[in-house]
Amino acid sequence: MKLPGHVASVVTDARLVEERRGQILRAAVKLFSDNGYYTTTISQIAREAGVSTGLIYQYFGDKDDILFLSLKLVLETYEKEIPPRLEGVKHPVERLCMALWAYCTIVDRLREATVLAYRSTKSLRADRRALVKEDESRTNRLLQACVRACIAGGYMHPVNEYLLVYQYVAFCHAWALKHWALRARFNLGKYVAEGIGLLVEPLLTAKGRTALAAMRRRTADFTREAKPPARSRRARRSSAH
Amino acid sequence: MKLPGHVASVVTDARLVEERRGQILRAAVKLFSDNGYYTTTISQIAREAGVSTGLIYQYFGDKDDILFLSLKLVLETYEKEIPPRLEGVKHPVERLCMALWAYCTIVDRLREATVLAYRSTKSLRADRRALVKEDESRTNRLLQACVRACIAGGYMHPVNEYLLVYQYVAFCHAWALKHWALRARFNLGKYVAEGIGLLVEPLLTAKGRTALAAMRRRTADFTREAKPPARSRRARRSSAH
Amino acid sequence: MKLPGHVASVVTDARLVEERRGQILRAAVKLFSDNGYYTTTISQIAREAGVSTGLIYQYFGDKDDILFLSLKLVLETYEKEIPPRLEGVKHPVERLCMALWAYCTIVDRLREATVLAYRSTKSLRADRRALVKEDESRTNRLLQACVRACIAGGYMHPVNEYLLVYQYVAFCHAWALKHWALRARFNLGKYVAEGIGLLVEPLLTAKGRTALAAMRRRTADFTREAKPPARSRRARRSSAH
Amino acid sequence: MKLPGHVASVVTDARLVEERRGQILRAAVKLFSDNGYYTTTISQIAREAGVSTGLIYQYFGDKDDILFLSLKLVLETYEKEIPPRLEGVKHPVERLCMALWAYCTIVDRLREATVLAYRSTKSLRADRRALVKEDESRTNRLLQACVRACIAGGYMHPVNEYLLVYQYVAFCHAWALKHWALRARFNLGKYVAEGIGLLVEPLLTAKGRTALAAMRRRTADFTREAKPPARSRRARRSSAH
DNA sequence: AATGAATGAGTGTTCATTCAT
DNA sequence: TATGAATGAACACTCATTCAT
């Protein structure tokens, strides 16, 4: 009786399991993202990860296990990387905007992997699909807290916050899903800035708009820049704080 | 030198090609939607369509052809079914709302197929992917015309209409993509009504809001109903005209 | 209980059977020669012959029937076309040389078909293989008669005439089988002339050599010419008689 | 950009590749020889070789690869086995006769495979066909050297040595190709002896004939014997030297 | 723990043959 | 008689998975 979330490993040394799985999953995410789940073979993953095919079966029960942990890896990235980006941001409106901005930059970095999540979640065994969806829901709750704080603070008109969050998520994911169309018209900064204009600003109260305007004055940078390489952006961001 | 959009058939009788392809594609869309492209076998499609495996290759060159025409079938449904639903609707705000409502009802009817489009477009041969995207773009342009009319008529504040359309599309597709989560809280009518409250209303001018309110009074029905079976909905619609 | 040499036809009108079979066999010989038996499909044959696939099965029982009659057609060509070329040629040595020359010109015309016979005889049902070999043997006997006459007339030293005939056949067939190599060094006339120098002349008695020399003086033409197109060669031949 | 002569293997261990390929090719040559290329299935080859079908694809890229190496195996056998049989044979006339004898014994041993080469070379991908023909040409050159030495030594009248070699090759191959007819009248020894009488002796000078007669006196054995099994023949030969 | 050779069930695709019209 | 749509058995080839070393 296997638990759906459990992935068995023949190897017992926990540190080694951690390390090898990471090594294999990085290869898998890359290949799945580029070529899809079904067209990626175990031996391609092995080659990309620099191990033998046999070794993979020491750390994963079957191919579905690899997909499962690959998707978790991606979804957990969202969940883990957004909160630190909100640290020190106090104002609810600013937190909401920063959350969207953070989410979008992560999507941008994991663009192919985000598409993968849409393509391949249904390829998972059904019981595990639910687990992956929970991961996604947890990320949504991060946004939901931001929205709620805006409304609670009187910065945003009361709205169906649940639906709004889904719209925000759709907005962030669209950067990956519709990148083929959007990239012709936007860079990432412009995309987020315009998105805020469309999905945040119209919902704000007068008080909220004032806050947004203030924030814009301070962080004008990311709305104008051409999309820079990931590395320099990360560097700039840390120096800015 | 094959054109990417062309699918060859051994059979020459155009009527028969039309009919058989339809028969096979209906089976394929169903199976692809339920089980995905790669896990659906040609012989499953044949069985579902009530023909032999060999026959399929009289009407399609290979499995990719079937996927291509399946996706086209789905995307063309959007493109073809929205315009008739807008006939007779004059007011720009009302047209926009009706377009969203129409789009969402089609997505609802083709829920699995819509998910299929997200899952499997990347499984297409690259040259054909572009053609499918064009189909999608054409549907977007239907929405874009509605948005533009609203702005031109002074019913909506000037916004980035291109991005807004993508938000609308994301909203409609989300009904299929996130149905697992949304169905717990919304029925289709409520979903659309709330979506309009979130994505249309806040962007309207005073004049636009008046129009929206008027419309709501007249068509209050669809915002309250439980999701009805497709047949009765269609019946109601025609009687309403 | 089918007789091996019998090919059944659904159609009863003998004249029609004759005509249709000829039409189909010409197409089959061409395609089998170019592409081989197994890689040629019935529908290719049908297309080449300008009929439907179904029609082929009105005149042949199965694909093996087509191959069988195709090979017979080719082998009977040898058997039928050599004798008229010997008409009026009286001298045994001259008859032998003319037979070789005739055989080689036919091989040259049916080059691909000759290769086909080597490739595909073994693809025939075993009982029919024997029939085809009999056809070949009958052609051999034409040569054998020539050799025998030479020996009987004291023009050729007594030799194993049976083996010699096989050598002659091998020589003629080699023009097709090894054409890829021979064509770089010989045209057909030179090939035959040199072959006679190698396989006939050394076996002749003094008397025989005198005859050969005389013949050469008269028919010097074909030993020097560049290989002419089939049409002009045929024309010249008839005008020479 | 694949080189036509290269056959890729998934397995890297050279010794293993050598061994497995040999094992599979032996099975393939047997089955191709008996049943032809197209009617032999991969799984028949696998069964005959005692391996799984999958394994075959670890050592060959596709079925064409197997045919290619099968034909090479056969043609290289000629090329490799003739020279050792000439070792220690000094006299040009004797070398020529020994070469013919050696060639014919190899053909006799590989009778079916020799027929295979004629049947199936055209089934090869065109670029590889040329490589196989080169193998054949190399064997021809072995004979050509023998002929040339005879002429240079004044043992044979000057003739078109290129054509003569082709005639010798045709003679040797005929033992396989026309075995169905020849076996009724000849055993291998008699076939070669008579062949020499027909294709070598008449071309010799007086000096050459003396040498041939001398040789015949010494090695009279092989012209009379019934066809002995390959093994004892080889044994006798070495003891005779 | 790690390798990679070996397995064989499963897939897309072809094509000789049939048969309703 | 002639058509060509329909069939389905058969094949080449793939790849997740196992296991001896």
Side-chain angles (χ1 to χ4, degrees):
Chain A
M1 191 68 48
K2 265 194 215 166
L3 291 177
H6 185 249
V7 171
S9 169
V10 172
V11 177
T12 50
D13 177 346
R15 177 202 300 291
L16 194 52
V17 170
E18 181 78 5
E19 183 184 314
R20 287 289 200 210
R21 281 193 178 170
Q23 178 184 8
I24 293 164
L25 286 175
R26 275 189 302 279
V29 168
K30 178 176 184 344
L31 291 168
F32 289 163
S33 297
D34 289 353
N35 308 324
Y37 174 65
Y38 286 105
T39 46
T40 298
T41 69
I42 296 288
S43 84
Q44 283 173 337
I45 297 173
R47 208 174 312 125
E48 175 78 26
V51 300
S52 65
T53 58
L55 193 72
I56 290 184
Y57 285 86
Q58 306 264 2
Y59 294 94
F60 299 89
D62 58 17
K63 203 185 174 190
D64 189 88
D65 279 356
I66 304 178
L67 177 59
F68 175 54
L69 293 189
S70 292
L71 292 176
K72 283 207 81 138
L73 188 64
V74 174
L75 296 202
E76 284 171 358
T77 304
Y78 298 140
E79 201 187 336
K80 276 192 284 200
E81 296 200 3
I82 294 177
R85 301 273 292 266
L86 298 181
E87 267 171 34
V89 182
K90 295 281 166 37
H91 196 286
V93 170
E94 205 166 330
R95 282 181 70 84
L96 175 59
C97 293
M98 183 53 84
L100 291 174
W101 168 242
Y103 204 158
C104 284
T105 57
I106 300 164
V107 165
D108 186 53
R109 179 156 50 83
L110 305 179
R111 207 154 54 217
E112 295 297 316
T114 301
V115 176
L116 172 65
Y118 274 79
R119 280 184 84 183
S120 299
T121 302
K122 263 200 120 180
S123 305
L124 268 186
R125 269 170 25 205
D127 54 353
R128 292 174 153 187
R129 212 144 53 207
L131 294 176
V132 166
K133 284 169 179 168
E134 266 178 43
D135 279 332
E136 184 182 326
S137 297
R138 265 202 304 282
T139 304
N140 291 0
R141 260 172 252 137
L142 296 176
L143 290 180
Q144 196 163 359
C146 294
V147 168
R148 190 167 291 171
C150 285
I151 295 172
Y155 300 105
M156 184 182 270
H157 295 298
V159 294
N160 187 322
E161 59 187 43
Y162 185 80
L163 187 58
L164 182 59
V165 164
Y166 265 98
Q167 208 46 45
Y168 287 158
V169 169
F171 169 76
C172 298
H173 289 172
W175 180 247
L177 293 170
K178 309 295 180 187
H179 194 254
W180 55 274
L182 298 171
R183 76 166 149 210
R185 310 229 182 180
F186 303 96
N187 60 43
L188 182 61
K190 195 151 190 288
Y191 180 72
V192 176
E194 298 257 17
I196 287 172
L198 225 45
L199 298 172
V200 177
E201 192 171 11
L203 303 175
L204 296 182
T205 58
K207 194 171 134 189
R209 285 171 199 236
T210 310
L212 181 61
M215 186 199 80
R216 275 184 176 146
R217 249 170 277 124
R218 263 180 300 119
T219 63
D221 60 344
F222 77 67
T223 72
R224 290 201 215 95
E225 66 183 326
K227 194 193 137 208
R231 220 152 306 284
S232 63
R233 199 190 315 136
R234 200 178 301 160
R236 185 170 23 70
R237 172 161 45 81
S238 49
S239 69
H241 287 178
Chain B
M1 194 67 46
K2 265 194 218 166
L3 293 177
H6 186 248
V7 171
S9 170
V10 171
V11 177
T12 49
D13 177 346
R15 178 204 300 293
L16 192 54
V17 169
E18 181 78 4
E19 183 184 314
R20 285 292 198 209
R21 280 194 177 168
Q23 178 184 7
I24 293 164
L25 286 175
R26 276 191 299 279
V29 168
K30 177 176 184 346
L31 291 168
F32 289 164
S33 296
D34 290 352
N35 308 325
Y37 174 66
Y38 287 106
T39 46
T40 298
T41 67
I42 295 288
S43 85
Q44 283 173 339
I45 297 173
R47 209 174 309 127
E48 175 77 25
V51 300
S52 66
T53 57
L55 194 71
I56 291 185
Y57 287 88
Q58 304 252 10
Y59 294 95
F60 300 89
D62 58 16
K63 204 184 173 189
D64 190 88
D65 279 356
I66 304 178
L67 177 59
F68 175 55
L69 291 190
S70 293
L71 293 176
K72 281 208 84 139
L73 188 65
V74 174
L75 296 203
E76 285 172 357
T77 303
Y78 297 141
E79 199 186 339
K80 276 190 284 199
E81 296 200 4
I82 293 177
R85 301 273 292 264
L86 298 181
E87 266 171 35
V89 182
K90 296 278 164 42
H91 196 287
V93 170
E94 206 166 330
R95 282 181 71 84
L96 174 60
C97 292
M98 182 54 81
L100 292 174
W101 168 240
Y103 205 157
C104 284
T105 56
I106 300 164
V107 165
D108 186 53
R109 178 155 52 84
L110 306 179
R111 207 153 56 216
E112 295 297 316
T114 302
V115 177
L116 172 66
Y118 275 79
R119 282 184 82 183
S120 299
T121 302
K122 263 198 119 179
S123 304
L124 268 186
R125 270 171 21 205
D127 53 352
R128 291 173 154 190
R129 211 142 57 206
L131 293 177
V132 167
K133 284 168 178 168
E134 266 177 42
D135 279 331
E136 185 182 327
S137 298
R138 264 199 306 280
T139 304
N140 291 2
R141 260 171 253 138
L142 296 176
L143 291 180
Q144 195 161 358
C146 294
V147 169
R148 192 166 291 172
C150 286
I151 295 173
Y155 300 105
M156 186 182 269
H157 294 296
V159 294
N160 186 325
E161 57 186 46
Y162 185 79
L163 186 58
L164 181 58
V165 164
Y166 265 97
Q167 262 334 100
Y168 288 156
V169 169
F171 170 76
C172 297
H173 289 172
W175 180 247
L177 294 170
K178 307 296 180 188
H179 194 254
W180 55 274
L182 297 172
R183 75 166 150 210
R185 311 229 183 180
F186 303 95
N187 61 42
L188 181 61
K190 195 151 190 285
Y191 180 72
V192 177
E194 298 258 16
I196 289 172
L198 226 46
L199 298 172
V200 178
E201 194 171 8
L203 303 174
L204 298 182
T205 58
K207 191 173 136 190
R209 283 170 202 237
T210 310
L212 180 62
M215 185 198 82
R216 273 181 177 149
R217 251 171 276 125
R218 263 181 302 120
T219 63
D221 60 345
F222 78 67
T223 73
R224 288 199 216 95
E225 66 182 327
K227 192 196 138 205
R231 219 152 305 282
S232 64
R233 201 189 314 136
R234 203 177 300 160
R236 183 172 24 72
R237 174 159 47 79
S238 49
S239 69
H241 287 179
Chain C
M1 190 70 48
K2 267 194 217 164
L3 292 177
H6 185 247
V7 170
S9 170
V10 171
V11 177
T12 50
D13 177 347
R15 177 203 300 291
L16 193 53
V17 169
E18 181 77 4
E19 182 186 315
R20 286 290 200 210
R21 281 193 177 169
Q23 178 184 7
I24 293 164
L25 286 175
R26 276 191 300 280
V29 168
K30 177 176 184 343
L31 291 169
F32 289 164
S33 295
D34 289 352
N35 309 323
Y37 174 65
Y38 285 106
T39 47
T40 297
T41 69
I42 295 288
S43 84
Q44 284 173 338
I45 296 173
R47 208 173 312 127
E48 176 77 25
V51 300
S52 65
T53 58
L55 193 73
I56 291 184
Y57 285 87
Q58 306 264 5
Y59 294 95
F60 298 90
D62 58 16
K63 204 184 174 189
D64 190 89
D65 279 356
I66 304 178
L67 177 59
F68 175 54
L69 293 189
S70 292
L71 293 177
K72 283 205 82 135
L73 189 65
V74 173
L75 295 203
E76 285 171 358
T77 303
Y78 297 141
E79 201 186 336
K80 275 191 285 200
E81 295 200 4
I82 294 177
R85 301 274 293 266
L86 299 181
E87 267 171 35
V89 181
K90 295 280 164 41
H91 195 287
V93 169
E94 204 166 331
R95 281 180 72 84
L96 173 60
C97 292
M98 183 53 80
L100 291 174
W101 169 240
Y103 204 157
C104 284
T105 57
I106 300 165
V107 165
D108 187 52
R109 180 157 49 86
L110 305 180
R111 207 152 56 215
E112 294 297 316
T114 301
V115 176
L116 171 67
Y118 273 80
R119 281 183 83 183
S120 299
T121 301
K122 261 199 121 180
S123 304
L124 223 42
R125 270 171 22 207
D127 53 353
R128 292 175 152 185
R129 211 142 55 208
L131 294 176
V132 167
K133 284 168 180 168
E134 267 177 41
D135 279 331
E136 184 182 327
S137 296
R138 262 199 307 281
T139 305
N140 290 1
R141 259 171 254 139
L142 296 176
L143 290 180
Q144 194 160 0
C146 294
V147 168
R148 190 165 292 168
C150 285
I151 295 173
Y155 300 105
M156 184 181 273
H157 295 296
V159 295
N160 187 323
E161 60 187 45
Y162 185 81
L163 186 58
L164 182 58
V165 164
Y166 266 98
Q167 263 331 101
Y168 287 157
V169 169
F171 170 76
C172 297
H173 289 170
W175 180 247
L177 294 170
K178 308 295 180 189
H179 194 253
W180 55 272
L182 297 172
R183 76 164 149 214
R185 310 229 183 182
F186 303 96
N187 59 42
L188 181 61
K190 194 152 193 285
Y191 180 72
V192 177
E194 298 258 14
I196 287 171
L198 226 44
L199 298 172
V200 177
E201 192 170 10
L203 303 174
L204 296 181
T205 58
K207 192 172 135 192
R209 287 173 198 235
T210 310
L212 180 63
M215 184 199 82
R216 275 183 176 148
R217 249 170 279 126
R218 263 181 303 120
T219 63
D221 61 344
F222 76 69
T223 72
R224 289 201 215 95
E225 66 184 326
K227 195 194 137 205
R231 218 152 308 280
S232 65
R233 200 190 313 136
R234 202 177 300 158
R236 184 172 21 72
R237 175 160 46 83
S238 49
S239 70
H241 287 181
Chain D
M1 193 67 46
K2 264 193 217 165
L3 293 177
H6 186 247
V7 171
S9 170
V10 171
V11 177
T12 49
D13 177 345
R15 178 203 301 293
L16 193 54
V17 169
E18 181 78 5
E19 183 185 315
R20 286 290 198 212
R21 281 194 176 169
Q23 179 185 6
I24 293 164
L25 287 175
R26 275 190 300 279
V29 168
K30 177 177 185 342
L31 291 167
F32 288 164
S33 296
D34 289 353
N35 308 324
Y37 174 66
Y38 287 107
T39 46
T40 298
T41 69
I42 295 289
S43 85
Q44 283 172 339
I45 297 174
R47 209 173 312 126
E48 175 78 26
V51 301
S52 65
T53 58
L55 193 72
I56 290 184
Y57 288 89
Q58 303 253 10
Y59 294 95
F60 299 89
D62 58 16
K63 204 184 172 191
D64 190 88
D65 279 355
I66 304 179
L67 177 59
F68 174 56
L69 292 191
S70 292
L71 292 176
K72 281 209 83 139
L73 189 65
V74 173
L75 296 204
E76 285 172 358
T77 303
Y78 298 141
E79 200 187 338
K80 276 191 283 201
E81 296 200 3
I82 293 176
R85 301 272 292 266
L86 298 180
E87 267 170 36
V89 181
K90 296 278 164 43
H91 195 287
V93 169
E94 205 165 331
R95 283 180 71 83
L96 174 60
C97 292
M98 182 53 82
L100 291 174
W101 168 240
Y103 204 158
C104 284
T105 58
I106 300 164
V107 165
D108 186 53
R109 179 156 51 83
L110 304 179
R111 207 154 54 216
E112 294 297 314
T114 301
V115 176
L116 172 66
Y118 274 80
R119 282 184 82 183
S120 299
T121 302
K122 261 199 122 179
S123 305
L124 267 187
R125 272 174 18 208
D127 54 353
R128 291 174 154 187
R129 212 141 55 205
L131 293 177
V132 166
K133 284 168 179 170
E134 267 177 40
D135 279 331
E136 185 183 325
S137 297
R138 265 201 303 283
T139 304
N140 291 1
R141 260 170 254 138
L142 295 176
L143 290 180
Q144 196 162 358
C146 294
V147 168
R148 191 167 291 172
C150 285
I151 296 172
Y155 300 105
M156 185 182 269
H157 294 297
V159 295
N160 186 324
E161 58 186 46
Y162 185 81
L163 186 59
L164 182 58
V165 163
Y166 265 97
Q167 207 47 45
Y168 287 158
V169 169
F171 169 76
C172 298
H173 287 171
W175 180 246
L177 294 170
K178 307 296 181 189
H179 194 251
W180 54 274
L182 298 172
R183 77 167 149 209
R185 310 230 183 180
F186 303 94
N187 61 42
L188 182 62
K190 195 149 189 287
Y191 180 72
V192 177
E194 298 258 15
I196 288 172
L198 226 44
L199 298 172
V200 177
E201 193 171 9
L203 304 174
L204 296 182
T205 58
K207 191 171 135 192
R209 286 169 198 238
T210 310
L212 180 63
M215 185 198 82
R216 276 183 176 147
R217 247 170 279 124
R218 263 180 303 119
T219 63
D221 59 345
F222 78 67
T223 73
R224 287 199 219 97
E225 66 184 327
K227 192 195 136 206
R231 218 151 307 281
S232 64
R233 199 188 316 137
R234 201 178 301 157
R236 183 171 23 72
R237 174 163 44 84
S238 50
S239 69
H241 288 180

